[in-house]
Amino acid sequence: MCGIVGYIGSEQAAPILLDGLSKLEYRGYDSAGIAVFDKDKIEVAKAKGRLSVLAEKTDDGKTIHGYMGIGHTRWATHGEPSDENAHPHISNSGRFAVVHNGIIENYIALKKKLVERGFEFISETDTEVIAHLFEYYYKGDIMDAMIRVINRVEGSYALGVLCSDYPDQFIAVRKSSPLIVGLGDGENFIASDVTAILKHTRDIYYLEDNEMVVLRKDGVKIYNKDKEEISKEKFTVDWDVSAAEKGGYEHFMMKEIEEQPKALRDTISPRIKDGRIVLDDISLTTEDIKNINKIYIVACGSAYHVGVVGKYVIEKMCRIPVEVQVASEFRYCDPIIKKNDLVIVISQSGETADTLAALKEAKNHGARILSIVNVVGSAIANASDDVIYTWAGPEIAVATTKAYSTQLAVVYLIAAYMAEKLGMLTSGEYANFIAEIEALPDKVAQILTSKEELQFLASKFFNCRSIFFIGRNLDYAVSLEGSLKLKEISYIHSEAYAAGELKHGTISLIEDGTLVVALATGQELFDKTVSNVKEVKARGAVVMGVTTDTHENMEDVADYVVKIPSAHEMLLPSLTVVPLQLFGYYVASLKGCDIDKPRNLAKSVTVE
Ligand code: G6P
């Protein structure tokens, strides 16, 4: 939540900052601002609204001169979106400019003290205390001031700080919020995420908590809280620049939907060698797996929906009990975790505040943590005992698609890996399952060849007021994701229900013309779901059935039928979800919604 970027070099800073921010808008987009050091003072430009408003105000940055600056794109937490609350925040003398991602938890007490000492606040933000604290503690050495500030504030922060006494350097620090340092040739950067600077460099440093960095044009130095310089390993990102560009697509979401076959291949292939699943990434031994009592899966949003699939798959294949919980509940439920319990944490960004807190809670209870993460070096990855990375590449659209799909693939790999170690699969079943996993990318690609069918269905239903998704077992798990995808980007009210549960209340909402999307892909429960389809049809619903090409009688009951290729029953969610992503996308597109940046949302939710 909130994106920050910083630059020092020989180019005009403002256009580079704006370009970097444009890659970080997924983190927040209610206002934006930049501060640039020009000659002897700090110049600031801010604007409520999308980054485009600021770009227009500054002629794409051309009107702001100077070669060093910091920028910010905001997702409001403290104070409404406004010019005043937009970052950077400036100290009263104008000497310091600060951009911040995170939350300063003790800001009210700090603000009170600063006001008593005569500091004037112009915003409602927590961040403004930092700008004034710098001023308060500054005695001529900016590093000393930084150390005093970070010792005083509580909470999470990634900070970029300009000081007008230092025309050739700026400083940054992080704690529990992401910040990377980009190493260029005669220029250096900070950013919340690599995509913002990929155009300029792929060489980066990952910062640990409370490591402070001093950036000059020709070099970067990193210090610990005792002001001792520390050496860091340089990391080279292999992402392509095009990975963070729209590449001719109207929206990142469609680009990312179409990237799913590749993302799946990249995630699956390196982990299958000579017909066996190889999880070099993890240290769980066969003995450890045999001793697992119970598995918790903890995550938020779509990652939680992957967990719901995971529960069905792991319980069925491994016969280990699995409890799946949203992280915001898990962290406060005083979980009963026993020796030999495994906690699987799923997160695209690796920085979701609730998920990270839940992980820490599980660790405090002595659990072993296995995480499934997309962003290398992220807080969740760093805090886990074992990490399996999804190789989805950067995901920019707020509504996740390829990250969800690759997380599912990793869950399948884990389930089959453990099932084999537990002796739950014959060699034939194991080989078949692996072959079926390997076939998924092509089957997803096949579904993507009939996008127009979903576009047509969207054109029929984009005016609906309310849409229901139903299914049983794995189909129910995918219903949750289909419903979320639709509602988050199209703003149509939608609910997902276990098909058998609908009649216990919710069916009263079905009236003439209500759309029910019925997922019935599995063999065993197909007839049961068809009965539920009949129940809603009898009450006036229009039904869009989603099923595999092996089921023929869906046509007899549903008004419209979407077919997906058949596959191993456990793996069907990877295919079922694709038409639902497309349906949500096209409905939102027909409604003229801002698909990549839906209202009120942000992709990385770094607040509670
Ligand atoms: C936000 C995003 C969702 C995502 C969830 C968890 O709400 O909009 O798409 O599933 O956060 O994010 P994570 O990065 O932990 O997977």
Side-chain angles (χ1 to χ4, degrees), residues 178-237:
L179 192 70
I180 54 129
V181 179
L183 308 165
D185 187 9
E187 55 182 8
N188 292 299
F189 308 82
I190 55 164
S192 299
D193 138 5
V194 245
T195 52
I197 56 169
L198 217 47
K199 206 183 249 183
H200 308 278
T201 181
R202 293 197 194 159
D203 292 336
I204 59 169
Y205 287 146
Y206 287 111
L207 294 179
E208 301 291 326
D209 278 359
N210 284 324
E211 286 179 349
M212 299 176 289
V213 54
V214 177
L215 296 103
R216 292 191 180 81
K217 199 170 125 175
D218 49 10
V220 163
K221 286 189 175 168
I222 297 176
Y223 299 89
N224 63 18
K225 264 172 104 176
D226 297 322
K227 247 175 126 178
E228 292 160 345
E229 191 178 342
I230 46 181
S231 63
K232 280 251 136 194
E233 201 186 327
K234 192 167 78 182
F235 190 88
T236 303
V237 182

Side-chain angles (χ1 to χ4, degrees), residues 109-120:
L110 291 172
K111 186 169 177 172
K112 194 163 167 273
K113 288 208 169 122
L114 287 161
V115 169
E116 281 164 13
R117 284 170 175 77
F119 285 89
E120 252 178 71

